[in-house]
């Protein structure tokens, strides 16, 4: 059974700081990894996808994947109050259905 | 481009009533997913379709739940009879080419069963 573990938080960071969100998983067969952002009362929206080991950068966001250690992380540089949301880690692989983590709540305070 | 469209946005009904949730996926997307989100259990996959065919319904909680996809642009999720514990936000999502591809979510239906 696939498991995706995230610290529920809240993670509180000051504006302008780097926010680091982490996710560990149990299934070594996982191939695709995603980070979704969900504002309160809204639907999840994709912000990053990563498929191979290493770092992937997109603007202020960097996703990091380490398959040997079975973790994936999301770094948000220059955090803004508008980044305050719940961040969901998702993994899937082969014919496996996508598995969502419970999410980490991020609060960026001015 | 239009995203995933769900209706209704909110539904309040009494226990025992039939509830029908509707979803229109993004045109050209071959995969459609139905999720349920609660504070207690997070986001749970209920069922997904590929080219209108149900592939995995192992997440459907019980026989009171059913889902159909009669064509590529329309899907329904029905609950009959509804119970208070079915209260949740139900999301529909679609992806273009595979179950391992990014998904695009609709705005969700907030369901309250009294």
């Amino acid at each position: 059974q696939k498991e995706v573990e995230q610290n529920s938080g809240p993670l509180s960071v000051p504006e302008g700081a780097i926010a680091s969100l982490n996710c560990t998983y149990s299934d070594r067969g996982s191939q695709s990894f995603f980070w979704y952002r969900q504002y309160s009362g809204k639907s999840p929206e994709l912000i990053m996808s990563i498929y191979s080991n290493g770092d992937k950068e997109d603007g202020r966001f960097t996703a990091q994947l380490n398959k040997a250690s079975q973790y994936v992380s999301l770094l948000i540089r220059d955090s803004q109050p508008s980044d305050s949301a719940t961040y969901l880690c998702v993994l899937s692989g082969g014919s496996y259905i996508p598995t969502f983590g419970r999410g980490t709540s991020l609060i960026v305070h001015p | 481009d239009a995203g995933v469209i769900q209706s209704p946005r909110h539904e309040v009904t009494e226990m025992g009533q039939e509830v029908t949730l509707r979803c229109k996926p993004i045109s050209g997307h071959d995969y459609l997913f139905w999720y349920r989100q609660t504070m207690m259990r997070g986001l749970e996959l209920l069922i997904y379709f590929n080219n209108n065919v149900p592939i995995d319904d192992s997440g459907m909680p019980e026989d009171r739940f059913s889902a159909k996809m009669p064509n590529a642009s329309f899907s329904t999720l029905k609950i009959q009879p509804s119970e208070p514990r079915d209260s949740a936000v139900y999301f529909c999502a679609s992806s273009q080419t595979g179950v391992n591809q990014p998904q695009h979510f609709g705005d969700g239906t907030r369901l309250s069963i009294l």
Side-chain angles (χ1 to χ4, degrees), chain A residues 31-47:
Chain A
Q31 300 171 356
S32 305
F33 304 84
F34 308 96
W35 283 100
Y36 286 77
R37 177 177 62 199
Q38 187 174 23
Y39 292 112
S40 180
K42 302 295 186 182
S43 59
E45 58 177 325
L46 178 73
I47 53 173

Side-chain angles (χ1 to χ4, degrees), chain A residues 8 23 31 68 86:
Chain A
S8 62
C23 171
Q31 300 171 356
T86 296

